[in-house]
Amino acid sequence: ELKVEQNPLFLSMQEGKNYTIYCNYSTTSDRLYWYRQDPGKSLESLFVLLSNGAVKQEGRLMASLDTKARLSTLHITAAVHDLSATYFCAADGGAQKLVFGQGTRLTINP
Amino acid sequence: DVKVTQSSRYLVKRTGEKVFLECVQDMDHENMFWYRQDPGLGLRLIYFSYDVKMKEKGDIPEGYSVSREKKERFSLILESASTNQTSMYLCASSSLGLGYNYGYTFGSGTRLTVV
């Protein structure tokens, strides 16, 4: 059974700093997805990583996938307040189902 | 703009009531999913459907049922609501095959409170 674990679950950081959210998954999965959720809102797709070594960047966010280590990272560069949200990773659980991590609540302080 | 629409943002129901949560998508997606979201637990899959009139149990189907009479609509039914079903419910859809490339599109969620 595929399990997906994120760490940290809570992250408070200052504007301008860099940090990384980690997403580990327990069984083979070739695809990894990152979502963002603002308070009271639904999930918005950020990145889709489809192969080993995939790297995608959008603004101050960069996601990567290492299928051999069963690890994906979401790196935040020079954080700004607007990036405050909860971030979820999800791995392909087979049969087109996604299995989600617990989410990382990111708070960026001025 | 493609959409997954959930009929209610907030619902308050009494224990023992039968509750219907509706989800409609306009993307002609084959796959539809119902998740519940609870703090610290992430998203947990309740039921999903790959086609009209078909359904599959997810990880936590107990106390729930679903209906998919039309391709665009996927309903979640709480047969007899209980307080432990107080949660945020999220509907999602994806395209068969292409779902791998794009993941899911989520609805805005329904926050259900059972009193």
Side-chain angles (χ1 to χ4, degrees):
Chain A
E1 179 188 351
L2 173 63
K3 293 191 183 302
V4 179
E5 292 192 351
Q6 292 180 231
N7 73 84
L9 299 185
F10 298 93
L11 178 56
S12 181
M13 54 193 292
Q14 291 203 318
E15 280 191 327
K17 301 290 187 182
N18 303 333
Y19 210 82
T20 300
I21 299 171
Y22 297 88
C23 174
N24 291 91
Y25 53 97
S26 61
T27 64
T28 301
S29 177
D30 291 333
R31 298 168 182 85
L32 199 290
Y33 305 81
W34 284 96
Y35 291 85
R36 168 182 172 147
Q37 184 180 39
D38 292 303
K41 302 287 181 65
S42 190
L43 277 72
E44 171 192 354
S45 180
L46 287 176
F47 299 110
V48 179
L49 303 168
L50 297 177
S51 61
N52 186 42
V55 177
K56 290 201 173 176
Q57 184 163 2
E58 179 77 30
R60 300 174 188 273
L61 299 178
M62 183 174 72
S64 65
L65 177 62
D66 182 344
T67 58
K68 293 178 182 174
R70 298 177 186 165
L71 172 68
S72 180
T73 60
L74 180 65
H75 187 73
I76 304 143
T77 302
V80 293
H81 179 69
D82 286 352
L83 291 178
S84 295
T86 299
Y87 293 85
F88 289 91
C89 65
D92 178 6
Q96 309 207 27
K97 292 183 291 180
L98 296 186
V99 178
F100 287 80
Q102 311 97 307
T104 297
R105 183 181 294 180
L106 173 64
T107 303
I108 299 169
N109 304 303
Chain B
D1 196 16
V2 294
K3 276 191 175 177
V4 177
T5 303
Q6 293 183 233
S7 54
S8 303
R9 288 299 308 274
Y10 300 95
L11 275 180
V12 180
K13 296 292 182 181
R14 294 192 181 277
T15 301
E17 276 193 79
K18 191 169 186 176
V19 181
F20 294 85
L21 302 183
E22 306 288 346
C23 176
V24 178
Q25 51 96 2
D26 65 1
M27 296 167 284
D28 201 35
H29 282 174
E30 293 84 2
N31 307 328
M32 296 188 75
F33 307 85
W34 276 107
Y35 286 85
R36 65 178 280 178
Q37 181 181 11
D38 300 288
L41 297 177
L43 277 71
R44 293 180 292 167
L45 181 62
I46 305 171
Y47 268 97
F48 60 102
S49 169
Y50 294 140
D51 201 352
V52 175
K53 294 193 185 295
M54 88 62 74
K55 60 186 178 183
E56 294 283 345
K57 292 180 180 179
D59 300 319
I60 52 164
E62 296 78 20
Y64 303 95
S65 63
V66 290
S67 172
R68 193 166 181 198
E69 296 295 320
K70 294 185 178 182
K71 188 176 184 180
E72 66 270 20
R73 185 181 297 269
F74 193 35
S75 303
L76 180 69
I77 304 157
L78 286 66
E79 298 290 344
S80 177
S82 64
T83 54
N84 63 13
Q85 292 178 310
T86 292
S87 186
M88 168 73 93
Y89 290 87
L90 292 166
C91 175
S93 72
S94 72
S95 177
L96 189 66
L98 291 178
Y100 287 131
N101 295 334
Y102 297 104
Y104 293 176
T105 301
F106 280 89
S108 54
T110 296
R111 185 166 295 281
L112 172 67
T113 302
V114 182
V115 298

